[in-house]
Amino acid sequence: MSTIVVEELDDRVVVTLRRPEARNAINAAMVGELHEVCAALEERPRLLLLTGEGGTFAAGADIGELRQRGREQALQGINSRLFDRIARLPLPTVAAVDGYALGGGAELAYACDIRLASPSAVFGNPEPGLGILAAAGACWRLRELAGASVAKQVLLAGRRLDADDALRFGLVAEVVPAGDLLKRAHALLDRMARSGQLALRLTKLVADGGGHPLTDELAQAILFESEEKAERMDAFLAGGRS
Ligand code: COA
């Protein structure tokens, strides 16, 4: 891996974006490496923690590469397919955002299930300033996360959301001092790791689909027959607490 650092733990994978010379801008090599991480997580589901090195999350897609791309590449959805794949990973994903998350970097963070920020976090989608639009999820994910009014300010008026804005608008779960950000993200993952993993997986699947009585009941039917459910409920009834 040349653009990311991957730390594989038993119950989670930690991925750190690392292209210090380009503020962790997402280039084709990074897209390929993140696809490799996705493949590994699809094969053996684990939680994912995504962060950036050097006080930046990611300053967008690599503008040098974007400059060379034409209609064909746009239609390939190079970044959007990756971010959709990340959004569809079996188990929850957390983005720990320190510093800039701009353009494709913001869209990558939007694709995660939960975001934590340091006080220096800045989210923005300056794409129209480069003569393009934010086509890798911002146009709909940001709207879902923060509402149409905020999304339009960001997408159309170039508004940058600082950490306080992001917290107020519900884009991030918490603002944590930079030095504690990863510790806090791991604590959040610890909590999720203690849950039934099939329960977590099916909850994510159902919730991401918008929920529906039919899917909810089918998923519950699977869980009600699982050994883990019986063990966890027996443990509760015997006085243990999970
Ligand atoms: N693509 C390619 N290179 C990028 C980049 C990107 N998205 N963002 C930053 N870089 C490069 C810069 O060109 C610079 O390279 P250089 O040292 O060879 O000149 C290096 O990273 C450092 O960037 P710099 O702008 O000097 O850092 P800064 O701390 O002053 O500003 C940002 C940081 C993030 C505010 C600024 O780099 C920026 O605005 N980046 C582009 C953001 C953007 O428009 N993203 C949307 C892309 S779709």
Side-chain angles (χ1 to χ4, degrees), residues 19-26 56 58-66 79 100-105 107 124-127 129-130 132-134 160:
R19 286 190 72 216
E21 72 284 5
R23 295 287 187 272
N24 301 332
I26 301 165
T56 300
D62 187 287
I63 296 171
E65 289 188 0
L66 283 183
N79 288 344
Y100 289 109
L102 297 177
E107 291 175 306
N125 283 101
E127 282 88 341
L130 293 166
I132 58 173
L133 69 89
R160 288 181 172 186

PDB file of all heavy atoms in Angstrom, residues 19-26 56 58-66 79 100-105 107 124-127 129-130 132-134 160, ligand 1:
ATOM      1  N   ARG A  19      -1.107  10.697   2.050  1.00  0.00           N
ATOM      2  CA  ARG A  19      -0.387  11.290   0.905  1.00  0.00           C
ATOM      3  C   ARG A  19      -0.012  12.708   1.343  1.00  0.00           C
ATOM      4  O   ARG A  19      -0.635  13.682   0.901  1.00  0.00           O
ATOM      5  CB  ARG A  19      -1.286  11.364  -0.340  1.00  0.00           C
ATOM      6  CG  ARG A  19      -1.538  10.044  -1.033  1.00  0.00           C
ATOM      7  CD  ARG A  19      -2.223  10.287  -2.366  1.00  0.00           C
ATOM      8  NE  ARG A  19      -1.321  10.870  -3.340  1.00  0.00           N
ATOM      9  CZ  ARG A  19      -1.701  11.783  -4.259  1.00  0.00           C
ATOM     10  NH1 ARG A  19      -2.943  12.226  -4.319  1.00  0.00           N
ATOM     11  NH2 ARG A  19      -0.827  12.257  -5.116  1.00  0.00           N
ATOM     12  N   PRO A  20       0.974  12.809   2.233  1.00  0.00           N
ATOM     13  CA  PRO A  20       1.257  14.116   2.837  1.00  0.00           C
ATOM     14  C   PRO A  20       1.570  15.183   1.804  1.00  0.00           C
ATOM     15  O   PRO A  20       1.262  16.368   2.014  1.00  0.00           O
ATOM     16  CB  PRO A  20       2.465  13.836   3.747  1.00  0.00           C
ATOM     17  CG  PRO A  20       3.017  12.513   3.316  1.00  0.00           C
ATOM     18  CD  PRO A  20       1.900  11.762   2.697  1.00  0.00           C
ATOM     19  N   GLU A  21       2.137  14.785   0.663  1.00  0.00           N
ATOM     20  CA  GLU A  21       2.523  15.780  -0.340  1.00  0.00           C
ATOM     21  C   GLU A  21       1.298  16.392  -1.020  1.00  0.00           C
ATOM     22  O   GLU A  21       1.399  17.417  -1.690  1.00  0.00           O
ATOM     23  CB  GLU A  21       3.465  15.146  -1.388  1.00  0.00           C
ATOM     24  CG  GLU A  21       2.825  14.159  -2.372  1.00  0.00           C
ATOM     25  CD  GLU A  21       2.502  12.769  -1.803  1.00  0.00           C
ATOM     26  OE1 GLU A  21       2.676  12.555  -0.597  1.00  0.00           O
ATOM     27  OE2 GLU A  21       2.060  11.907  -2.585  1.00  0.00           O
ATOM     28  N   ALA A  22       0.135  15.768  -0.847  1.00  0.00           N
ATOM     29  CA  ALA A  22      -1.076  16.273  -1.513  1.00  0.00           C
ATOM     30  C   ALA A  22      -2.253  16.378  -0.546  1.00  0.00           C
ATOM     31  O   ALA A  22      -3.400  16.271  -0.951  1.00  0.00           O
ATOM     32  CB  ALA A  22      -1.442  15.378  -2.701  1.00  0.00           C
ATOM     33  N   ARG A  23      -1.943  16.590   0.723  1.00  0.00           N
ATOM     34  CA  ARG A  23      -2.998  16.718   1.742  1.00  0.00           C
ATOM     35  C   ARG A  23      -3.975  15.539   1.666  1.00  0.00           C
ATOM     36  O   ARG A  23      -5.188  15.686   1.745  1.00  0.00           O
ATOM     37  CB  ARG A  23      -3.775  18.039   1.585  1.00  0.00           C
ATOM     38  CG  ARG A  23      -2.944  19.292   1.822  1.00  0.00           C
ATOM     39  CD  ARG A  23      -2.637  19.481   3.313  1.00  0.00           C
ATOM     40  NE  ARG A  23      -1.990  20.767   3.575  1.00  0.00           N
ATOM     41  CZ  ARG A  23      -0.676  20.979   3.531  1.00  0.00           C
ATOM     42  NH1 ARG A  23       0.144  19.973   3.229  1.00  0.00           N
ATOM     43  NH2 ARG A  23      -0.169  22.161   3.806  1.00  0.00           N
ATOM     44  N   ASN A  24      -3.409  14.353   1.468  1.00  0.00           N
ATOM     45  CA  ASN A  24      -4.195  13.105   1.408  1.00  0.00           C
ATOM     46  C   ASN A  24      -5.245  13.111   0.297  1.00  0.00           C
ATOM     47  O   ASN A  24      -6.285  12.422   0.409  1.00  0.00           O
ATOM     48  CB  ASN A  24      -4.868  12.789   2.760  1.00  0.00           C
ATOM     49  CG  ASN A  24      -3.865  12.652   3.887  1.00  0.00           C
ATOM     50  OD1 ASN A  24      -2.715  12.287   3.644  1.00  0.00           O
ATOM     51  ND2 ASN A  24      -4.273  12.957   5.098  1.00  0.00           N
ATOM     52  N   ALA A  25      -5.010  13.869  -0.762  1.00  0.00           N
ATOM     53  CA  ALA A  25      -5.959  13.882  -1.886  1.00  0.00           C
ATOM     54  C   ALA A  25      -6.108  12.472  -2.433  1.00  0.00           C
ATOM     55  O   ALA A  25      -5.148  11.687  -2.506  1.00  0.00           O
ATOM     56  CB  ALA A  25      -5.480  14.842  -2.969  1.00  0.00           C
ATOM     57  N   ILE A  26      -7.322  12.159  -2.841  1.00  0.00           N
ATOM     58  CA  ILE A  26      -7.667  10.792  -3.254  1.00  0.00           C
ATOM     59  C   ILE A  26      -7.332  10.618  -4.735  1.00  0.00           C
ATOM     60  O   ILE A  26      -8.002  11.178  -5.606  1.00  0.00           O
ATOM     61  CB  ILE A  26      -9.170  10.543  -2.997  1.00  0.00           C
ATOM     62  CG1 ILE A  26      -9.488  10.750  -1.510  1.00  0.00           C
ATOM     63  CG2 ILE A  26      -9.578   9.143  -3.460  1.00  0.00           C
ATOM     64  CD1 ILE A  26     -10.969  10.889  -1.198  1.00  0.00           C
ATOM     65  N   THR A  56      -4.934  16.361   8.417  1.00  0.00           N
ATOM     66  CA  THR A  56      -5.883  16.522   7.309  1.00  0.00           C
ATOM     67  C   THR A  56      -6.605  15.194   7.139  1.00  0.00           C
ATOM     68  O   THR A  56      -5.950  14.140   7.209  1.00  0.00           O
ATOM     69  CB  THR A  56      -5.147  16.827   5.978  1.00  0.00           C
ATOM     70  OG1 THR A  56      -4.406  18.037   6.143  1.00  0.00           O
ATOM     71  CG2 THR A  56      -6.117  17.001   4.819  1.00  0.00           C
ATOM     72  N   ALA A  58      -8.847  14.517   4.173  1.00  0.00           N
ATOM     73  CA  ALA A  58      -8.485  14.418   2.750  1.00  0.00           C
ATOM     74  C   ALA A  58      -8.964  15.682   2.052  1.00  0.00           C
ATOM     75  O   ALA A  58     -10.117  16.092   2.208  1.00  0.00           O
ATOM     76  CB  ALA A  58      -9.121  13.201   2.104  1.00  0.00           C
ATOM     77  N   ALA A  59      -8.054  16.281   1.256  1.00  0.00           N
ATOM     78  CA  ALA A  59      -8.361  17.568   0.610  1.00  0.00           C
ATOM     79  C   ALA A  59      -9.046  17.377  -0.735  1.00  0.00           C
ATOM     80  O   ALA A  59      -8.913  18.220  -1.616  1.00  0.00           O
ATOM     81  CB  ALA A  59      -7.080  18.378   0.442  1.00  0.00           C
ATOM     82  N   GLY A  60      -9.755  16.264  -0.881  1.00  0.00           N
ATOM     83  CA  GLY A  60     -10.533  16.087  -2.106  1.00  0.00           C
ATOM     84  C   GLY A  60      -9.975  15.025  -3.009  1.00  0.00           C
ATOM     85  O   GLY A  60      -9.029  14.316  -2.651  1.00  0.00           O
ATOM     86  N   ALA A  61     -10.605  14.898  -4.163  1.00  0.00           N
ATOM     87  CA  ALA A  61     -10.025  14.050  -5.199  1.00  0.00           C
ATOM     88  C   ALA A  61      -8.766  14.748  -5.688  1.00  0.00           C
ATOM     89  O   ALA A  61      -8.624  15.971  -5.530  1.00  0.00           O
ATOM     90  CB  ALA A  61     -11.023  13.875  -6.336  1.00  0.00           C
ATOM     91  N   ASP A  62      -7.855  13.980  -6.277  1.00  0.00           N
ATOM     92  CA  ASP A  62      -6.602  14.556  -6.751  1.00  0.00           C
ATOM     93  C   ASP A  62      -6.881  15.424  -7.984  1.00  0.00           C
ATOM     94  O   ASP A  62      -7.303  14.920  -9.033  1.00  0.00           O
ATOM     95  CB  ASP A  62      -5.611  13.443  -7.097  1.00  0.00           C
ATOM     96  CG  ASP A  62      -4.249  14.016  -7.418  1.00  0.00           C
ATOM     97  OD1 ASP A  62      -4.102  14.607  -8.520  1.00  0.00           O
ATOM     98  OD2 ASP A  62      -3.347  13.909  -6.571  1.00  0.00           O
ATOM     99  N   ILE A  63      -6.672  16.720  -7.838  1.00  0.00           N
ATOM    100  CA  ILE A  63      -7.071  17.657  -8.898  1.00  0.00           C
ATOM    101  C   ILE A  63      -6.222  17.464 -10.157  1.00  0.00           C
ATOM    102  O   ILE A  63      -6.718  17.617 -11.276  1.00  0.00           O
ATOM    103  CB  ILE A  63      -7.012  19.109  -8.368  1.00  0.00           C
ATOM    104  CG1 ILE A  63      -8.039  19.273  -7.230  1.00  0.00           C
ATOM    105  CG2 ILE A  63      -7.320  20.118  -9.491  1.00  0.00           C
ATOM    106  CD1 ILE A  63      -7.944  20.584  -6.459  1.00  0.00           C
ATOM    107  N   GLY A  64      -4.961  17.065  -9.976  1.00  0.00           N
ATOM    108  CA  GLY A  64      -4.117  16.786 -11.146  1.00  0.00           C
ATOM    109  C   GLY A  64      -4.727  15.670 -11.999  1.00  0.00           C
ATOM    110  O   GLY A  64      -4.735  15.743 -13.237  1.00  0.00           O
ATOM    111  N   GLU A  65      -5.238  14.641 -11.336  1.00  0.00           N
ATOM    112  CA  GLU A  65      -5.870  13.531 -12.073  1.00  0.00           C
ATOM    113  C   GLU A  65      -7.231  13.944 -12.638  1.00  0.00           C
ATOM    114  O   GLU A  65      -7.575  13.597 -13.771  1.00  0.00           O
ATOM    115  CB  GLU A  65      -6.020  12.303 -11.170  1.00  0.00           C
ATOM    116  CG  GLU A  65      -4.687  11.643 -10.870  1.00  0.00           C
ATOM    117  CD  GLU A  65      -4.852  10.305 -10.144  1.00  0.00           C
ATOM    118  OE1 GLU A  65      -6.003   9.895  -9.879  1.00  0.00           O
ATOM    119  OE2 GLU A  65      -3.814   9.686  -9.832  1.00  0.00           O
ATOM    120  N   LEU A  66      -7.984  14.695 -11.835  1.00  0.00           N
ATOM    121  CA  LEU A  66      -9.313  15.137 -12.307  1.00  0.00           C
ATOM    122  C   LEU A  66      -9.197  15.948 -13.589  1.00  0.00           C
ATOM    123  O   LEU A  66     -10.022  15.848 -14.493  1.00  0.00           O
ATOM    124  CB  LEU A  66      -9.998  16.038 -11.256  1.00  0.00           C
ATOM    125  CG  LEU A  66     -10.629  15.390 -10.031  1.00  0.00           C
ATOM    126  CD1 LEU A  66     -11.305  16.480  -9.200  1.00  0.00           C
ATOM    127  CD2 LEU A  66     -11.637  14.321 -10.420  1.00  0.00           C
ATOM    128  N   ASN A  79     -14.900   7.570  -8.068  1.00  0.00           N
ATOM    129  CA  ASN A  79     -14.993   7.787  -6.620  1.00  0.00           C
ATOM    130  C   ASN A  79     -16.342   7.341  -6.067  1.00  0.00           C
ATOM    131  O   ASN A  79     -16.420   6.765  -4.981  1.00  0.00           O
ATOM    132  CB  ASN A  79     -14.761   9.261  -6.275  1.00  0.00           C
ATOM    133  CG  ASN A  79     -13.303   9.640  -6.462  1.00  0.00           C
ATOM    134  OD1 ASN A  79     -12.434   8.777  -6.562  1.00  0.00           O
ATOM    135  ND2 ASN A  79     -13.026  10.932  -6.523  1.00  0.00           N
ATOM    136  N   TYR A 100      -9.007  19.258   7.254  1.00  0.00           N
ATOM    137  CA  TYR A 100      -9.855  19.389   6.072  1.00  0.00           C
ATOM    138  C   TYR A 100     -10.436  18.059   5.588  1.00  0.00           C
ATOM    139  O   TYR A 100      -9.716  17.071   5.437  1.00  0.00           O
ATOM    140  CB  TYR A 100      -9.062  19.997   4.911  1.00  0.00           C
ATOM    141  CG  TYR A 100      -8.748  21.457   5.095  1.00  0.00           C
ATOM    142  CD1 TYR A 100      -7.454  21.884   5.364  1.00  0.00           C
ATOM    143  CD2 TYR A 100      -9.755  22.413   4.999  1.00  0.00           C
ATOM    144  CE1 TYR A 100      -7.169  23.230   5.541  1.00  0.00           C
ATOM    145  CE2 TYR A 100      -9.483  23.765   5.178  1.00  0.00           C
ATOM    146  CZ  TYR A 100      -8.183  24.162   5.446  1.00  0.00           C
ATOM    147  OH  TYR A 100      -7.906  25.494   5.622  1.00  0.00           O
ATOM    148  N   ALA A 101     -11.735  18.090   5.325  1.00  0.00           N
ATOM    149  CA  ALA A 101     -12.405  17.015   4.572  1.00  0.00           C
ATOM    150  C   ALA A 101     -13.160  17.764   3.477  1.00  0.00           C
ATOM    151  O   ALA A 101     -14.278  18.234   3.684  1.00  0.00           O
ATOM    152  CB  ALA A 101     -13.351  16.233   5.464  1.00  0.00           C
ATOM    153  N   LEU A 102     -12.505  17.913   2.345  1.00  0.00           N
ATOM    154  CA  LEU A 102     -13.071  18.733   1.270  1.00  0.00           C
ATOM    155  C   LEU A 102     -13.360  17.866   0.046  1.00  0.00           C
ATOM    156  O   LEU A 102     -12.693  16.847  -0.174  1.00  0.00           O
ATOM    157  CB  LEU A 102     -12.095  19.847   0.879  1.00  0.00           C
ATOM    158  CG  LEU A 102     -11.771  20.872   1.968  1.00  0.00           C
ATOM    159  CD1 LEU A 102     -10.735  21.884   1.460  1.00  0.00           C
ATOM    160  CD2 LEU A 102     -13.027  21.599   2.454  1.00  0.00           C
ATOM    161  N   GLY A 103     -14.309  18.317  -0.750  1.00  0.00           N
ATOM    162  CA  GLY A 103     -14.592  17.637  -2.007  1.00  0.00           C
ATOM    163  C   GLY A 103     -14.800  16.141  -1.793  1.00  0.00           C
ATOM    164  O   GLY A 103     -15.618  15.718  -0.967  1.00  0.00           O
ATOM    165  N   GLY A 104     -14.031  15.333  -2.537  1.00  0.00           N
ATOM    166  CA  GLY A 104     -14.138  13.879  -2.397  1.00  0.00           C
ATOM    167  C   GLY A 104     -13.782  13.419  -0.987  1.00  0.00           C
ATOM    168  O   GLY A 104     -14.272  12.375  -0.536  1.00  0.00           O
ATOM    169  N   GLY A 105     -12.962  14.174  -0.283  1.00  0.00           N
ATOM    170  CA  GLY A 105     -12.630  13.822   1.106  1.00  0.00           C
ATOM    171  C   GLY A 105     -13.858  13.943   1.994  1.00  0.00           C
ATOM    172  O   GLY A 105     -14.111  13.095   2.860  1.00  0.00           O
ATOM    173  N   GLU A 107     -16.907  13.706   0.841  1.00  0.00           N
ATOM    174  CA  GLU A 107     -17.844  12.659   0.389  1.00  0.00           C
ATOM    175  C   GLU A 107     -17.478  11.293   0.961  1.00  0.00           C
ATOM    176  O   GLU A 107     -18.354  10.480   1.250  1.00  0.00           O
ATOM    177  CB  GLU A 107     -17.866  12.622  -1.147  1.00  0.00           C
ATOM    178  CG  GLU A 107     -18.527  13.871  -1.724  1.00  0.00           C
ATOM    179  CD  GLU A 107     -18.470  13.924  -3.237  1.00  0.00           C
ATOM    180  OE1 GLU A 107     -17.356  13.818  -3.784  1.00  0.00           O
ATOM    181  OE2 GLU A 107     -19.523  14.064  -3.876  1.00  0.00           O
ATOM    182  N   GLY A 124     -16.382  20.618   3.413  1.00  0.00           N
ATOM    183  CA  GLY A 124     -16.813  21.518   2.343  1.00  0.00           C
ATOM    184  C   GLY A 124     -16.810  20.831   1.000  1.00  0.00           C
ATOM    185  O   GLY A 124     -16.154  19.798   0.815  1.00  0.00           O
ATOM    186  N   ASN A 125     -17.580  21.383   0.089  1.00  0.00           N
ATOM    187  CA  ASN A 125     -17.619  20.853  -1.285  1.00  0.00           C
ATOM    188  C   ASN A 125     -17.423  21.995  -2.272  1.00  0.00           C
ATOM    189  O   ASN A 125     -18.383  22.536  -2.836  1.00  0.00           O
ATOM    190  CB  ASN A 125     -18.944  20.109  -1.538  1.00  0.00           C
ATOM    191  CG  ASN A 125     -18.941  18.738  -0.891  1.00  0.00           C
ATOM    192  OD1 ASN A 125     -19.516  18.544   0.184  1.00  0.00           O
ATOM    193  ND2 ASN A 125     -18.231  17.788  -1.490  1.00  0.00           N
ATOM    194  N   PRO A 126     -16.142  22.334  -2.499  1.00  0.00           N
ATOM    195  CA  PRO A 126     -15.838  23.478  -3.360  1.00  0.00           C
ATOM    196  C   PRO A 126     -15.810  23.134  -4.853  1.00  0.00           C
ATOM    197  O   PRO A 126     -15.296  23.913  -5.652  1.00  0.00           O
ATOM    198  CB  PRO A 126     -14.439  23.888  -2.882  1.00  0.00           C
ATOM    199  CG  PRO A 126     -13.815  22.613  -2.410  1.00  0.00           C
ATOM    200  CD  PRO A 126     -14.924  21.744  -1.898  1.00  0.00           C
ATOM    201  N   GLU A 127     -16.368  21.987  -5.232  1.00  0.00           N
ATOM    202  CA  GLU A 127     -16.252  21.526  -6.625  1.00  0.00           C
ATOM    203  C   GLU A 127     -16.663  22.561  -7.674  1.00  0.00           C
ATOM    204  O   GLU A 127     -15.964  22.705  -8.697  1.00  0.00           O
ATOM    205  CB  GLU A 127     -17.038  20.223  -6.833  1.00  0.00           C
ATOM    206  CG  GLU A 127     -16.341  18.973  -6.301  1.00  0.00           C
ATOM    207  CD  GLU A 127     -16.652  18.670  -4.844  1.00  0.00           C
ATOM    208  OE1 GLU A 127     -17.115  19.586  -4.126  1.00  0.00           O
ATOM    209  OE2 GLU A 127     -16.433  17.527  -4.413  1.00  0.00           O
ATOM    210  N   GLY A 129     -16.261  25.550  -7.793  1.00  0.00           N
ATOM    211  CA  GLY A 129     -15.141  26.470  -7.990  1.00  0.00           C
ATOM    212  C   GLY A 129     -14.121  25.932  -8.987  1.00  0.00           C
ATOM    213  O   GLY A 129     -13.347  26.693  -9.569  1.00  0.00           O
ATOM    214  N   LEU A 130     -14.140  24.608  -9.169  1.00  0.00           N
ATOM    215  CA  LEU A 130     -13.237  23.975 -10.141  1.00  0.00           C
ATOM    216  C   LEU A 130     -13.975  23.650 -11.438  1.00  0.00           C
ATOM    217  O   LEU A 130     -13.453  22.944 -12.305  1.00  0.00           O
ATOM    218  CB  LEU A 130     -12.665  22.674  -9.547  1.00  0.00           C
ATOM    219  CG  LEU A 130     -11.726  22.839  -8.346  1.00  0.00           C
ATOM    220  CD1 LEU A 130     -11.506  21.497  -7.640  1.00  0.00           C
ATOM    221  CD2 LEU A 130     -10.385  23.425  -8.790  1.00  0.00           C
ATOM    222  N   ILE A 132     -16.752  21.845 -11.718  1.00  0.00           N
ATOM    223  CA  ILE A 132     -17.403  20.524 -11.721  1.00  0.00           C
ATOM    224  C   ILE A 132     -18.406  20.473 -10.573  1.00  0.00           C
ATOM    225  O   ILE A 132     -18.531  21.422  -9.805  1.00  0.00           O
ATOM    226  CB  ILE A 132     -16.375  19.371 -11.574  1.00  0.00           C
ATOM    227  CG1 ILE A 132     -15.569  19.533 -10.281  1.00  0.00           C
ATOM    228  CG2 ILE A 132     -15.455  19.321 -12.795  1.00  0.00           C
ATOM    229  CD1 ILE A 132     -14.651  18.355  -9.977  1.00  0.00           C
ATOM    230  N   LEU A 133     -19.099  19.342 -10.456  1.00  0.00           N
ATOM    231  CA  LEU A 133     -19.990  19.200  -9.308  1.00  0.00           C
ATOM    232  C   LEU A 133     -19.525  18.046  -8.429  1.00  0.00           C
ATOM    233  O   LEU A 133     -18.713  17.222  -8.849  1.00  0.00           O
ATOM    234  CB  LEU A 133     -21.449  19.024  -9.745  1.00  0.00           C
ATOM    235  CG  LEU A 133     -21.893  17.734 -10.438  1.00  0.00           C
ATOM    236  CD1 LEU A 133     -22.334  16.687  -9.436  1.00  0.00           C
ATOM    237  CD2 LEU A 133     -23.038  18.036 -11.400  1.00  0.00           C
ATOM    238  N   ALA A 134     -20.052  18.045  -7.226  1.00  0.00           N
ATOM    239  CA  ALA A 134     -19.697  16.997  -6.261  1.00  0.00           C
ATOM    240  C   ALA A 134     -20.528  15.772  -6.598  1.00  0.00           C
ATOM    241  O   ALA A 134     -21.672  15.650  -6.151  1.00  0.00           O
ATOM    242  CB  ALA A 134     -19.987  17.486  -4.842  1.00  0.00           C
ATOM    243  N   ARG A 160     -18.282  26.383   4.098  1.00  0.00           N
ATOM    244  CA  ARG A 160     -17.492  25.361   4.782  1.00  0.00           C
ATOM    245  C   ARG A 160     -18.050  25.184   6.182  1.00  0.00           C
ATOM    246  O   ARG A 160     -18.326  26.175   6.860  1.00  0.00           O
ATOM    247  CB  ARG A 160     -16.028  25.777   4.851  1.00  0.00           C
ATOM    248  CG  ARG A 160     -15.342  25.702   3.498  1.00  0.00           C
ATOM    249  CD  ARG A 160     -13.892  26.093   3.621  1.00  0.00           C
ATOM    250  NE  ARG A 160     -13.196  25.833   2.357  1.00  0.00           N
ATOM    251  CZ  ARG A 160     -11.901  25.962   2.184  1.00  0.00           C
ATOM    252  NH1 ARG A 160     -11.127  26.355   3.187  1.00  0.00           N
ATOM    253  NH2 ARG A 160     -11.345  25.710   1.011  1.00  0.00           N
TER     254      ARG A 160
HETATM  255  N1  COA B   1      -5.444  17.484  -5.309  1.00  0.00           N
HETATM  256  C1  COA B   1      -4.143  17.519  -5.589  1.00  0.00           C
HETATM  257  N2  COA B   1      -3.227  18.150  -4.835  1.00  0.00           N
HETATM  258  C2  COA B   1      -3.689  18.785  -3.736  1.00  0.00           C
HETATM  259  C3  COA B   1      -5.034  18.787  -3.382  1.00  0.00           C
HETATM  260  C4  COA B   1      -5.940  18.092  -4.213  1.00  0.00           C
HETATM  261  N3  COA B   1      -7.243  18.021  -3.950  1.00  0.00           N
HETATM  262  N4  COA B   1      -5.177  19.504  -2.251  1.00  0.00           N
HETATM  263  C5  COA B   1      -3.955  19.924  -1.908  1.00  0.00           C
HETATM  264  N5  COA B   1      -3.053  19.498  -2.806  1.00  0.00           N
HETATM  265  C6  COA B   1      -1.602  19.753  -2.825  1.00  0.00           C
HETATM  266  C7  COA B   1      -1.308  21.189  -3.206  1.00  0.00           C
HETATM  267  O1  COA B   1      -1.319  21.353  -4.601  1.00  0.00           O
HETATM  268  C8  COA B   1       0.049  21.367  -2.589  1.00  0.00           C
HETATM  269  O2  COA B   1       1.009  20.809  -3.451  1.00  0.00           O
HETATM  270  P1  COA B   1       2.443  21.537  -3.644  1.00  0.00           P
HETATM  271  O3  COA B   1       3.061  21.502  -2.281  1.00  0.00           O
HETATM  272  O4  COA B   1       3.115  20.661  -4.640  1.00  0.00           O
HETATM  273  O5  COA B   1       2.139  22.926  -4.123  1.00  0.00           O
HETATM  274  C9  COA B   1      -0.013  20.505  -1.330  1.00  0.00           C
HETATM  275  O6  COA B   1      -1.090  19.606  -1.511  1.00  0.00           O
HETATM  276  C10 COA B   1      -0.308  21.315  -0.083  1.00  0.00           C
HETATM  277  O7  COA B   1      -1.482  22.090  -0.342  1.00  0.00           O
HETATM  278  P2  COA B   1      -1.581  23.628   0.070  1.00  0.00           P
HETATM  279  O8  COA B   1      -2.742  24.200  -0.689  1.00  0.00           O
HETATM  280  O9  COA B   1      -0.271  24.297  -0.047  1.00  0.00           O
HETATM  281  O10 COA B   1      -1.943  23.463   1.619  1.00  0.00           O
HETATM  282  P3  COA B   1      -2.744  24.475   2.551  1.00  0.00           P
HETATM  283  O11 COA B   1      -2.604  23.932   3.937  1.00  0.00           O
HETATM  284  O12 COA B   1      -2.341  25.881   2.285  1.00  0.00           O
HETATM  285  O13 COA B   1      -4.265  24.342   2.099  1.00  0.00           O
HETATM  286  C11 COA B   1      -6.245  23.128   1.456  1.00  0.00           C
HETATM  287  C12 COA B   1      -4.967  23.138   2.308  1.00  0.00           C
HETATM  288  C13 COA B   1      -6.881  21.777   1.643  1.00  0.00           C
HETATM  289  C14 COA B   1      -7.210  24.232   1.944  1.00  0.00           C
HETATM  290  C15 COA B   1      -5.883  23.394  -0.025  1.00  0.00           C
HETATM  291  O14 COA B   1      -4.839  22.521  -0.393  1.00  0.00           O
HETATM  292  C16 COA B   1      -7.013  23.184  -0.994  1.00  0.00           C
HETATM  293  O15 COA B   1      -7.870  24.052  -1.131  1.00  0.00           O
HETATM  294  N6  COA B   1      -7.040  22.008  -1.686  1.00  0.00           N
HETATM  295  C17 COA B   1      -8.013  21.715  -2.713  1.00  0.00           C
HETATM  296  C18 COA B   1      -9.386  21.495  -2.107  1.00  0.00           C
HETATM  297  C19 COA B   1     -10.391  21.196  -3.189  1.00  0.00           C
HETATM  298  O16 COA B   1     -10.761  22.025  -4.000  1.00  0.00           O
HETATM  299  N7  COA B   1     -10.886  19.942  -3.174  1.00  0.00           N
HETATM  300  C20 COA B   1     -11.905  19.518  -4.078  1.00  0.00           C
HETATM  301  C21 COA B   1     -11.319  18.658  -5.134  1.00  0.00           C
HETATM  302  S1  COA B   1     -12.630  17.982  -6.101  1.00  0.00           S
END
